[in-house]
Amino acid sequence: MATNENLPPNVIKQLAKELKNLDETPPEGIKVLVNDDDFSTIFADIEGPAGTPYENGIFRMKLLLSHDFPQSPPKGYFLTKIFHPNIATNGEICVNTLKKDWNPSLGLRHVLLVVRCLLIEPFPESALNEQAGKMLLENYEEYARHARLYTGIHAVKPKPKFKTGAISECTTALNVDQKNVVSNGKVLPHPTPLTTNTASKVSAINGQDQNAVVPAMEPAIGTSAIEKKEGAVTAKVQVDKKKMDARKKSLKRL
């Protein structure tokens, strides 16, 4: 397992400074993952550039620094599968910056930017993936279709997760005192839930459902009270009838 001990102290110091700068001001579309215990392996997540077959993808790569870095260039590999002329099936990256055009004065920022630019403008003439290189030269649409397919399968961005904190805050705000409601400094009793009949009556009155059938209102008095009232009315009718019969008899006598 590689550690910072494999690198000279002056290189470690320079790398620490550069990695801090990359973390604070990352290049566009690139996020560097820093491991303070091992500067010899640098990981980075590269966003697929817009307008390319790699758009909407996230590609992870790594740079391996040798013990004589920066005299020797780092070796670059894509860990995410990608269909690209200059990236081999094992992930190895072929770019002149990491080979014949290497300069010890070049920093990690420059290397990462060159790799991302490679996704925008491939070089099929120096292809490590011959199929991708040939396809790019002869039939770009077919090449782009393959590249998009790889991107959709292997490099899809993770879906954002819901913020549970925000949901908890909303829940807390909604779960106010269920027993009392404060209005204008006064504590009012919590409103009782509408019954089916009450809700139907209110809905019909407000015109919310013109076709709704409003259930019959519940009697305000009990059944026994109604029966007593009906009995009293019947008794009165019988008394009045007796009085009428008595008057008729009197008239006959006259």
Side-chain angles (χ1 to χ4, degrees):
M1 181 177 179
T3 64
N4 288 335
E5 296 178 358
N6 297 336
L7 300 171
N10 61 321
V11 173
I12 293 175
K13 184 177 179 180
Q14 178 62 31
L15 284 174
K17 182 179 179 180
E18 190 170 358
L19 289 171
K20 181 181 179 182
N21 180 266
L22 285 169
D23 183 55
E24 294 176 350
T25 56
E28 181 183 0
I30 302 174
K31 180 178 178 57
V32 178
L33 310 175
V34 179
N35 181 359
D36 294 334
D37 297 326
D38 184 7
F39 289 161
S40 64
T41 304
I42 309 298
F43 293 94
D45 285 341
I46 299 180
E47 294 183 9
T52 71
Y54 312 105
E55 185 176 359
N56 296 325
I58 295 291
F59 301 87
R60 177 158 295 186
M61 64 158 294
K62 68 177 179 180
L63 293 174
L64 298 178
L65 280 55
S66 60
H67 66 280
D68 60 343
F69 178 86
Q71 300 307 315
S72 298
K75 292 182 179 180
Y77 295 89
F78 266 73
L79 302 179
T80 303
K81 289 186 178 182
I82 183 173
F83 188 77
H84 191 285
N86 306 113
I87 302 171
T89 54
N90 67 348
E92 183 181 354
I93 303 171
C94 178
V95 62
N96 288 336
T97 302
L98 298 180
K99 293 186 177 181
K100 64 180 183 179
D101 292 343
W102 173 253
N103 189 315
S105 63
L106 297 177
L108 296 177
R109 181 182 293 270
H110 178 79
V111 173
L112 294 171
L113 287 173
V114 167
V115 172
R116 187 169 189 268
C117 287
L118 200 63
L119 300 183
I120 301 173
E121 187 176 354
F123 295 96
E125 296 81 6
S126 58
L128 283 181
N129 186 328
E130 294 183 2
Q131 181 189 8
K134 183 179 180 181
M135 198 176 290
L136 175 59
L137 291 172
E138 298 178 355
N139 189 340
Y140 178 81
E141 291 302 323
E142 187 66 13
Y143 155 75
R145 189 180 71 82
H146 271 71
R148 282 193 293 268
L149 181 63
Y150 270 65
T151 300
I153 295 175
H154 303 290
V156 177
K157 289 182 181 180
K159 294 182 180 179
K161 297 181 179 179
F162 291 108
K163 295 181 179 180
T164 55
I167 295 176
S168 299
E169 291 175 1
C170 292
T171 305
T172 303
L174 292 174
N175 290 338
V176 293
D177 188 358
Q178 298 296 318
K179 296 182 179 180
N180 299 300
V181 178
V182 178
S183 176
N184 297 328
K186 296 181 179 180
V187 179
L188 304 178
H190 185 74
T192 56
L194 292 175
T195 63
T196 304
N197 288 337
T198 307
S200 301
K201 295 168 194 173
V202 173
S203 177
I205 292 172
N206 291 338
Q208 293 177 358
D209 189 354
Q210 299 295 337
N211 299 322
V213 178
V214 181
M217 293 181 63
E218 295 180 358
I221 54 178
T223 305
S224 59
I226 293 175
E227 292 176 351
K228 288 181 181 180
K229 186 175 181 180
E230 290 178 349
V233 172
T234 303
K236 184 177 180 182
V237 170
Q238 291 176 352
V239 171
D240 291 340
K241 186 177 180 181
K242 289 180 180 179
K243 289 182 179 180
M244 288 293 294
D245 293 341
R247 288 179 183 178
K248 289 180 179 179
K249 290 180 180 180
S250 301
L251 289 174
K252 286 180 179 181
R253 291 174 184 175
L254 292 175

